[in-house]
Amino acid sequence: MDLMGMMGKLKETQQKIEDTKKRLDTVLIDEQSTDGLLKVTLTANRTLKSIIIDDTLLADKEQLEDYLILVLNKAIEKATNVNQSELDVVTKMDMPMIPGMEDLFK
């Protein structure tokens, strides 16, 4: 087992992960309520970029809160899936397999 080569590969993979995370800041996930009255945009790193609320929702605080919870949760789930699949590609493609470490990447 070439330990120096493996350490170099780990460093390289770490850099690719960092680069991927930076790129995911530019990937936007849009989500909206089924009636289009509430729209949100997140990055694939799950940073909220915008919320657009139709004026009709402002009259009912509880309805607005329900909309926010539903739409934000859907957007976060989508962003998490994009984030995870992008990072999985980098780690599975580039990680040297060290005996016993396979379980960490499942």
Side-chain angles (χ1 to χ4, degrees):
M1 194 184 300
D2 175 15
L3 198 54
M4 290 309 287
M6 219 181 293
M7 294 307 285
K9 189 83 169 146
L10 281 170
K11 265 198 177 333
E12 192 180 303
T13 301
Q14 208 170 14
Q15 185 58 52
K16 285 183 181 178
I17 289 170
E18 289 307 309
D19 293 345
T20 300
K21 285 181 179 177
K22 280 186 192 131
R23 187 175 55 74
L24 289 173
D25 273 333
T26 66
V27 176
L28 299 180
I29 309 294
D30 294 312
E31 187 59 63
Q32 65 180 7
S33 57
T34 50
D35 56 13
L37 296 179
L38 180 77
K39 298 175 183 173
V40 299
T41 302
L42 274 71
T43 69
N45 281 328
R46 297 173 300 268
T47 300
L48 190 57
K49 288 300 204 182
S50 75
I51 298 177
I52 299 169
I53 301 169
D54 189 274
D55 288 345
T56 57
L57 289 176
L58 298 178
D60 186 343
K61 182 179 181 285
E62 277 186 31
Q63 183 185 17
L64 176 56
E65 289 169 348
D66 289 344
Y67 270 60
L68 282 167
I69 290 167
L70 288 171
V71 175
L72 283 169
N73 279 334
K74 279 202 301 190
I76 290 167
E77 184 180 339
K78 276 186 183 177
T80 299
N81 290 340
V82 170
N83 185 293
Q84 195 61 55
S85 62
E86 291 285 324
L87 290 174
D88 280 353
V89 167
V90 173
T91 53
K92 285 192 172 90
M93 186 173 59
D94 292 324
M95 281 300 277
M97 270 308 136
I98 299 168
M101 294 206 40
E102 300 88 4
D103 294 337
L104 295 175
F105 300 104
K106 287 184 181 167

